[in-house]
Amino acid sequence: MDPLILSRIQFGANISFHILFPTITIALGWVLLFFKLRYNATNDSAWMRAYFTWVKVFALSFAMGVVSGVTMSFQFGTNWPGYMEKVGNIAGPLLAYEILTAFFLEAAFLGIMLFGFRRVSNRVHTLATVLVAGGTTLSAFWIIALNSWMQTPAGFEMIDGKAHAVDWWAVVFNPSMPYRLVHMLLASGLTVSFLIAGLSALRYLSGDRSESMWKALRTGVFTAAILIPIQIFAGDQHGLNTLQHQPQKIAAMEANWTTGPNVPLVLFALPDEAAKENKFEIAIPDGASLVLRHSTSGVVPGLDAYPGNHPPVFPLFWSFRVMVGTGLLMLAVSWSAAFFLKRRHSLPKPLAMLMVPMALSGWLATLAGWYTTEIGRQPWLVTGVLKTADAVGPVAGGHVALTLAVYLILYVLLLIAYLGVLVHLALKAAKDGDTSPLPGVMKTAMSQPAAGE
Amino acid sequence: MTFDWPTLLPLIFAGLMGLAILIYVILDGFDLGIGILFAVAEDSEQDTMIAAIGPFWDANETWLVLAVGLLLVAFPMAHGVILTALYIPVFVLLVGLILRGVAFDFRAKVPSGKKHRWNRIFFLGSVIASLAQGYMLGVYVLGLDVGLGGMAFGVLVAFCLAAAYAAMGAAWVIYKTEGELQKKAVRWLRTALVLTALGMAAVSLATPFASPRIFDKWFVWPQMLYLSPLPILSALLFLWLWRQTFHLPRPDDRHALTPFLTLAAIFALGFAGLAWSFYPYVVPDKLTVWQAASATESLAIILAGTVVVLPVIIFYSFYAYRVFGGKATDLTYD
C-alpha cells in the first residue's frame, strides 16, 4: 500500500470533512449578529428565538470544526513533515497568527455567546456575538492567505532549499488571495442562507407558521438571492485571475487539449487523459474564448502547453461543472422563492419541498469548488516550490490505511449524527413555534431590554 | 552562549510552548478528568458536571492548538520527527478528542432518549485522549523509544496522567458544585490522588534509570541540591492536600478552590522537572531547540504578534472565568 496515495486520500477526506463546518460558522456568526441586532432594535422576541435556534447549530458546527481542525494540524506532522520543513518559515507565522488572533477570540467568547445571555449585559452579549463572528472571519482570512500562497507563492526566496520570507505583505496579499477570500466568504454566506432557508422550509412544511420561522425563512431566502449574482461575478473574476497565474488549472477545468483561438466551451464531456481527447463532447463554439478572453478569437491555453505538469483533467473538469451547476440551481431557487415571499407573501409547497434538500447545496458547491482549486494545484503542494510527493513522511502504508479506515467511519457516523440533529432542531422549533419560553429573557429584566410580551 | 536573537528566539519559543502545554494540561485536564469521572457519576450529576465546564472547554482546548501550533511553527523539524514517530498514539489521541469534543455538544441537542449514548461517548473519548497523551509523554521522555521498554513505560505514564486528570476533574467539581455531588467529588479526589501520587513517584524514579542522560542531569552535585525542592515540595503538597480532603467541604465553602490550585501547583512542579530533564533538546537526544527552530525572521514576526496578543488572551480568559464564576447552575441552552 502506497503511503503517498493513502496519505492524500486521508488528508483529502479530513479537509473535506473539516471545511463543511467553518463554511457554516463563518457566515452564521454574522447572521446571528443580524438576529441579535434586529432584536435589540425591535424588541421582538421572535428574533431572539431565531437566535437561540441557530446558535445551537453554530455551537455544534464550531465543535465539529475544532475537532477536525485539530486533526488536520496534527496531520501536517504525522503525514506531511516535508511541508513544514520546506515552507515552515512562511506557513508557520500565518498559522500562528490564525491561532493567536482568531481562534482564541472565538473560543473564549463562544461561551458567553452560548450561555451568557443571563449573566452579562445585553450589550456585552451582543459584543460577544460580534467578536465570535469577527473571529471566524479573521480565521478564514489567515487560512485563505496561506492556501492562496500555496497556489500563487510570492514574497519569498529560497535559501538552502527552504523558503524564507522577504516581504510579508506580498506573502499575505499574494496574487490570488483577494479573489479566493471573497469567493470563499460568499460561498459561506450562500451555504448558511440556503441552510437556514431549507430548514425553515422544513418547518413551514410541518405546519409551522410562527413569526420566528418567517423571520428565519426570509433572512435565508433574501440573503441567498442577493449573494448569488455577486458570487457568480466574483467567481468569474477569480477564474480570470487563475487564468493569469495558473493557466494549466484552467486548461484542465475546461478540458481544452490544444492551445489556440476560438476555443469552444465544453458543456458535457468525458475527458480521456490517455488519448488526450474528450468523449461525448457537447460544446458551444468559441464559448471558452469568449468567457475567458471576452473575445471569440481569444487564445486560451491548452493542456499541450504543460506536458507532465498539469493537474488530472477528469476530476477537475467535473468538480468545476458541479460547482457551476449548483450555483445556477441556487440562482433559480432563491430568486423564485424571493419572488413568492415578496410578491405573494407565501411559499408554494413544491418550492418549499425543493428548498429542503437545497439546504445542503452550499456544502456541495463549496466542496466541488475546493476540489477544483486543490486538485488543480497538483502535482504541486506549493506551486513551483514543493511537489506533493516530496512532502510525504516515512510512515508505513499499513498504518496510514488503518487510520484512514477509522477516520472515514468516524466522519460518516458524525455526519449522519450532525444532519440528524439539524433536522431534529428544526422539527423541535416547528413544534414549539413561538410558544416555548425564551431562555434568559424572563428572569433578568434588569439587564435585558423588556421581554416584549 | 551569546545572547543574540538567533540564540534567544528559539529559547523564548521553547518557553512559550512549555507554558502553553502546562496551561493546557491544567485547564483541559479538568475537562478530561470530568469526562473520566462520568464513569462513576449518576445521570443527573453528569448534567451538573457538564454545566461546570460548558462555558470554558472550547477555550481550554485552544491551548492544545496553541502548543501544537507553536511546535509546528517554531520547530518545524521537530514537529515532523515527533509526530511521525508517534503516528499511532497521535491518531488515538485525535480519535479521543474528536469523540469527546462532539459528544459534548451532541448530548445537549439530541432527542432525550439518545443522550445516554453520547454521555458514554463523552466518557470514552475523555479516557482515550487522556491515556494517549500520557502514553505519548512516556515515549517522548525516553527519547521516542518505541521498543518494548518504551511502550511499557508509556503505559505506566498513561495511567498516571489519567489518574491525575481525574483528580483535577474532581477538584473542579468540588469548586463548582455543592451538596451531595460535592461530597462525592471529595471521595473521588482522595482515590485519584493516591493513584496520581503513586504514578508520579513511579515515573520520577523510573525516568532517570531508563534514560542515562536524565540521570546525569539530576544526580550530580550541586544540581541535586538545587533541584531537590521540586520533588520535596511536590511530596509535601500531596500530603497536605490528602489531609485537606478529610475536612472538605468546609463551612461556608471555604477553600473550595484550594484542591484545584494545589493540584495545579503540583503539575507545575512536575512540569518544571520535565523541562529541566529535556533542556536544551526539543527531540530528546536528537534535536536541540536551535537545530529545530524556524528562521529568525519568521520567529521574530510570530513573537511580535504573541507579545501583543498573549496578554489580551489571558485577560479575556480571566473575564470569561469571572462571568461564569460561582457554582454551576443548569445551563439554559434551550
Side-chain angles (χ1 to χ4, degrees):
Chain A
M1 281 183 280
D2 181 2
L4 173 63
I5 302 286
L6 291 170
S7 288
R8 285 186 63 184
I9 297 174
Q10 177 161 309
F11 200 77
N14 187 249
I15 198 166
S16 300
F17 181 71
H18 173 71
I19 200 175
L20 300 175
F21 304 103
T23 303
I24 288 179
T25 49
I26 291 166
L28 188 53
W30 297 107
V31 173
L32 288 171
L33 179 65
F34 171 72
F35 288 162
K36 186 73 211 274
L37 291 177
R38 294 303 297 148
Y39 169 72
N40 289 350
T42 62
N43 231 345
D44 182 347
S45 65
W47 287 113
M48 216 50 219
R49 285 207 169 77
Y51 185 98
F52 279 111
T53 303
W54 284 95
V55 86
K56 285 176 213 154
V57 176
F58 186 95
L60 189 59
S61 309
F62 189 82
M64 298 279 272
V66 171
V67 295
S68 54
V70 171
T71 309
M72 217 162 59
S73 67
F74 273 97
Q75 278 187 15
F76 285 149
T78 52
N79 296 74
W80 306 100
Y83 174 73
M84 288 307 283
E85 281 168 24
K86 189 127 187 168
V87 299
N89 289 328
I90 308 276
L94 299 183
L95 289 168
Y97 271 82
E98 195 265 339
I99 297 169
L100 284 172
T101 61
F103 197 52
F104 269 101
L105 201 64
E106 304 165 57
F109 283 96
L110 184 62
I112 295 177
M113 187 171 150
L114 288 175
F115 308 113
F117 191 67
R118 267 198 282 183
R119 290 185 173 250
V120 297
S121 70
N122 191 50
R123 200 185 292 260
V124 170
H125 186 252
T126 308
L127 181 68
T129 311
V130 175
L131 290 172
V132 170
T136 53
T137 309
L138 202 54
S139 190
F141 172 86
W142 291 114
I143 296 300
I144 296 280
L146 175 55
N147 182 274
S148 296
W149 184 83
M150 290 160 67
Q151 302 270 354
T152 54
F156 71 105
E157 59 180 355
M158 299 301 289
I159 302 172
D160 299 333
K162 286 183 184 176
H164 285 253
V166 179
D167 177 356
W168 281 109
W169 185 266
V171 168
V172 173
F173 295 95
N174 57 77
S176 65
M177 189 270 183
Y179 298 90
R180 212 178 296 279
L181 180 65
V182 170
H183 201 42
M184 181 64 216
L185 293 181
L186 287 167
S188 172
L190 282 164
T191 303
V192 167
S193 48
F194 270 92
L195 188 69
I196 293 178
L199 290 182
S200 302
L202 181 64
R203 285 171 68 175
Y204 180 86
L205 287 171
S206 52
D208 183 4
R209 297 291 182 272
S210 63
E211 250 326 288
S212 67
M213 185 285 296
W214 281 117
K215 283 185 165 32
L217 179 68
R218 278 194 218 107
T219 307
V221 166
F222 291 136
T223 311
I226 294 167
L227 291 184
I228 186 73
I230 303 176
Q231 176 70 311
I232 290 171
F233 175 74
D236 180 56
Q237 295 296 309
H238 184 31
L240 295 179
N241 177 269
T242 308
L243 179 65
Q244 194 185 340
H245 295 280
Q246 296 174 288
Q248 71 280 14
K249 187 192 279 188
I250 294 286
M253 274 157 67
E254 300 296 345
N256 178 27
W257 301 94
T258 42
T259 309
N262 304 94
V263 175
L265 181 66
V266 181
L267 295 179
F268 179 92
L270 297 179
D272 182 345
E273 211 162 315
K276 297 192 193 310
E277 62 174 25
N278 295 334
K279 301 213 162 79
F280 309 106
E281 180 178 292
I282 303 170
I284 303 172
D286 302 339
S289 290
L290 195 64
V291 171
L292 291 166
R293 296 295 188 194
H294 297 185
S295 148
T296 53
S297 58
V299 175
V300 173
L303 290 159
D304 57 348
Y306 313 97
N309 194 20
H310 66 72
V313 182
F314 193 94
L316 218 54
F317 178 86
W318 275 104
S319 51
F320 179 62
R321 267 146 198 78
V322 169
M323 177 185 77
V324 172
T326 312
L328 294 175
L329 192 61
M330 286 170 143
L331 181 72
V333 170
S334 63
W335 279 20
S336 10
F339 170 81
F340 281 106
L341 285 181
K342 194 93 193 151
R343 291 291 160 81
R344 307 276 163 82
H345 299 284
S346 71
L347 193 63
K349 212 173 161 198
L351 186 57
M353 286 168 75
L354 179 61
M355 282 164 68
V356 175
M358 284 289 283
L360 299 181
S361 59
W363 273 8
L364 182 65
T366 306
L367 279 179
W370 272 100
Y371 291 146
T372 309
T373 203
E374 296 295 276
I375 298 172
R377 197 186 50 223
Q378 302 301 327
W380 297 97
L381 189 56
V382 180
T383 308
V385 176
L386 174 65
K387 285 212 158 132
T388 309
D390 297 330
V392 76
V395 176
H399 282 187
V400 188
L402 171 76
T403 55
L404 172 61
V406 179
Y407 279 130
L408 286 177
I409 294 169
L410 204 56
Y411 292 158
V412 169
L413 291 179
L414 288 179
L415 216 49
I416 294 172
Y418 178 82
L419 293 175
V421 167
L422 286 191
V423 172
H424 170 69
L425 286 176
L427 294 178
K428 192 155 158 271
K431 188 165 66 67
D432 294 346
D434 277 353
T435 58
S436 65
L438 203 52
V441 177
M442 312 301 217
K443 292 197 178 168
T444 43
M446 32 178 232
S447 61
Q448 311 298 343
E453 54 212 316
Chain B
M1 194 158 87
T2 50
F3 289 99
D4 51 1
W5 283 117
T7 315
L8 280 179
L9 278 170
L11 277 179
I12 292 171
F13 275 93
L16 283 175
M17 193 171 79
L19 187 68
I21 294 175
L22 179 62
I23 296 177
Y24 168 76
V25 167
I26 291 172
L27 293 185
D28 210 30
F30 73 75
D31 298 340
L32 288 164
I34 279 178
I36 296 170
L37 292 173
F38 257 41
V40 286
E42 310 283 330
D43 278 2
S44 57
E45 294 168 345
Q46 290 176 348
D47 283 340
T48 314
M49 287 157 73
I50 285 285
I53 54 174
F56 314 112
W57 87 273
D58 263 315
N60 291 348
E61 194 173 60
T62 306
W63 290 96
L64 175 69
V65 179
L66 182 66
V68 177
L70 283 174
L71 179 64
L72 181 79
V73 304
F75 305 104
M77 302 293 283
H79 177 257
V81 174
I82 294 171
L83 294 188
T84 46
L86 296 175
Y87 188 83
I88 294 292
V90 166
F91 163 73
V92 174
L93 166 68
L94 290 171
V95 169
L97 288 179
I98 291 174
L99 291 178
R100 196 263 315 228
V102 299
F104 191 96
D105 258 284
F106 272 118
R107 65 181 290 290
K109 295 178 187 70
V110 291
S112 49
K114 287 184 180 161
K115 190 170 167 181
H116 199 67
R117 178 189 302 169
W118 287 105
N119 279 344
R120 240 177 309 177
I121 294 177
F122 183 69
F123 160 73
L124 206 65
S126 303
V127 172
I128 292 173
S130 306
L131 291 175
Q133 283 178 11
Y135 179 84
M136 284 159 66
L137 176 64
V139 173
Y140 176 77
V141 166
L142 300 191
L144 300 174
D145 168 16
V146 282
L148 217 58
M151 281 162 70
F153 187 72
V155 171
L156 173 68
V157 181
F159 282 101
C160 170
L161 190 68
Y165 281 166
M168 292 293 272
W172 190 253
V173 174
I174 293 172
Y175 171 53
K176 292 296 280 184
T177 65
E178 49 206 345
E180 268 314 300
L181 180 55
Q182 194 185 32
K183 290 201 187 99
K184 217 167 165 179
V186 174
R187 293 198 293 276
W188 292 337
L189 175 63
R190 217 171 291 157
T191 312
L193 210 53
V194 174
L195 293 174
T196 310
L198 286 176
M200 237 168 141
V203 171
S204 304
L205 289 175
T207 309
F209 292 101
S211 164
R213 187 181 57 79
I214 295 177
F215 187 94
D216 292 341
K217 287 201 77 163
W218 283 77
F219 296 97
V220 279
W221 204 258
Q223 272 92 323
M224 251 175 100
L225 185 67
Y226 303 146
L227 294 168
S228 58
L230 287 179
I232 294 172
L233 212 55
S234 305
L236 287 177
L237 284 174
F238 263 120
L239 282 175
W240 184 73
L241 184 56
W242 167 252
R243 281 194 42 166
Q244 285 296 308
T245 57
F246 291 99
H247 306 292
L248 285 169
R250 292 193 183 254
D252 298 335
D253 214 33
R254 275 183 298 124
H255 297 303
L257 190 56
T258 309
F260 183 77
L261 294 178
T262 312
L263 279 168
I266 294 173
F267 270 50
L269 289 170
F271 199 80
L274 280 176
W276 172 251
S277 304
F278 291 127
Y279 176 83
Y281 288 100
V282 61
V283 181
D285 302 330
K286 292 194 185 80
L287 283 173
T288 66
V289 289
W290 298 284
Q291 290 166 332
S294 287
T296 306
E297 76 272 7
S298 296
L299 290 179
I301 198 139
I302 302 175
L303 187 65
T306 310
V307 168
V308 177
V309 174
L310 202 62
V312 181
I313 292 173
I314 291 172
F315 170 76
Y316 63 59
S317 301
F318 270 108
Y319 176 73
Y321 273 88
R322 210 180 59 105
V323 166
F324 297 100
K327 297 294 175 186
T329 47
D330 288 340
L331 289 178
T332 47
Y333 208 25
D334 50 350

